[in-house]
Amino acid sequence: MTRVLGIHGVRNYKAVDTTPALGAKRLRGDWLEALGSAVPRLDLDTAYYADLLRSRRQGEGEFDNLDEAEVALVEQWALAWGVTPDGVQGRATGWLRWICGEVAQRSGESPAVVEKTVRLFFPEVTRYFDGGRSGVHERVREALLRHRPDVVVAHSLGTVVAYEVLHRLGDELDVRLLLTLGSPLALPHAVFHRLDPAPQDGFGRRPANVRRWVNVADTGDFVAVPKGALARAFPEIEQLPDISIARWWPHSVLDYLRHPSVNGAVMGH
């Protein structure tokens, strides 16, 4: 029996999640449906923290509701694509759409996909780094120690959470495989330089309680940037070849979980 703990990324709060336990149960069902059919003898649980990072602002998800801290992260992300805001006045909706359009042009992706990335990802990342860390860490730490997984599968912002919490746990845990999906861990300044523990001499390191670390990214995943940087910034990572999980939204955790490379990594831990 393979014991797996899933650690989710952004935008996983639903109104039906009236308690963290119910949120975890809903996520477990979704993840089990996506991964369980391909991985026999699977004991899957999920850590849930989405309620801690959700916004109470009206109209969240629209560009004109991003605050200054969120916009600053978008700037750092855009720089990873070689886009600078020089010559663009102000920080209104038009400015952010211009940024997204420039990234879309460089990547060959549609502006709609790029805009969706900005709307969904950066607000929760900002809340995590600006005061949300401790509560999220406690939830994930409790789930790790309760389930004691052989494999940790982390997606999106969840890869940042997993990295930090596993480092904090030290020898309290023994994880055979950390599998990261669509990870922003190498994003300069916005994520990489804010990690705890901080990178040393420009490099992050595999948590000592993790025997093997494997990373997977979709070729069009706008969260997993800069392209190829994760394996350079974390030398102990095994970087699998880039995959294609979905043309129109290449960051979905369920599409990642259904992919044969992810199934194979879990089964071959």
Side-chain angles (χ1 to χ4, degrees):
M1 182 72 72
T2 301
R3 300 176 66 84
V4 177
L5 183 76
I7 302 177
H8 67 76
V10 300
R11 296 290 284 195
N12 274 279
Y13 176 80
K14 305 293 183 185
V16 295
D17 302 339
T18 53
T19 68
L22 287 174
K25 181 179 179 180
R26 176 184 57 78
L27 277 181
R28 178 184 179 276
D30 292 343
W31 282 47
L32 195 59
E33 182 180 0
L35 184 63
S37 60
V39 181
R41 295 178 55 78
L42 179 65
D43 181 3
L44 174 70
D45 201 357
T46 52
Y48 179 83
Y49 60 85
D51 57 315
L52 300 177
L53 299 183
R54 75 183 184 98
S55 174
R56 274 73 175 177
R57 291 179 301 189
Q58 293 295 319
E60 185 202 10
E62 297 302 325
F63 284 154
D64 53 9
N65 280 292
L66 295 184
D67 62 26
E68 286 296 308
E70 293 161 2
V71 167
L73 282 190
V74 175
E75 287 182 328
Q76 296 298 332
W77 168 78
L79 285 170
W81 285 95
V83 177
T84 62
D86 295 346
V88 180
Q89 299 297 317
R91 295 200 171 176
T93 300
W95 175 82
L96 286 170
R97 291 195 185 281
W98 177 86
I99 288 271
C100 292
E102 290 295 304
V103 172
Q105 186 176 39
R106 284 162 170 76
S107 64
E109 189 55 83
S110 73
V113 171
V114 182
E115 290 178 11
K116 182 175 180 180
T117 300
V118 170
R119 289 198 308 270
L120 300 188
F121 183 68
F122 291 100
E124 289 194 27
V125 173
T126 302
R127 289 192 284 275
Y128 174 75
F129 283 117
D130 295 349
R133 243 189 187 125
S134 60
V136 172
H137 281 194
E138 184 57 34
R139 289 269 186 90
V140 174
R141 179 182 185 276
E142 188 278 330
L144 284 163
L145 292 178
R146 181 187 68 249
H147 195 59
R148 297 201 166 272
D150 304 305
V151 178
V152 173
V153 180
H155 173 247
S156 185
L157 177 59
T159 68
V160 178
V161 178
Y163 178 83
E164 295 188 332
V165 175
L166 286 168
H167 269 294
R168 287 172 175 264
L169 281 171
D171 59 9
E172 291 185 71
L173 208 62
D174 180 18
V175 175
R176 297 180 188 175
L177 171 68
L178 170 61
L179 179 60
T180 49
L181 312 174
S183 176
L185 275 163
L187 183 59
H189 306 293
V191 175
F192 184 69
H193 294 89
R194 303 174 79 178
L195 291 174
D196 182 13
Q200 296 182 357
D201 300 319
F203 297 101
R205 62 188 187 276
R206 174 172 50 85
N209 50 21
V210 172
R211 302 186 195 181
R212 183 183 177 212
W213 182 355
V214 173
N215 184 65
V216 182
D218 184 281
T219 55
D221 194 332
F222 289 96
V223 171
V225 292
K227 293 300 178 186
L230 200 64
R232 296 191 295 270
F234 299 85
E236 295 171 290
I237 283 182
E238 298 174 42
Q239 177 68 52
L240 297 187
D242 283 356
I243 61 176
S244 180
I245 60 169
R247 178 68 181 87
W248 299 113
W249 178 232
H251 189 61
S252 164
V253 66
L254 300 182
D255 288 327
Y256 268 114
L257 293 174
R258 293 185 184 105
H259 196 274
S261 66
V262 174
N263 306 154
V266 173
M267 288 190 293
H269 70 276

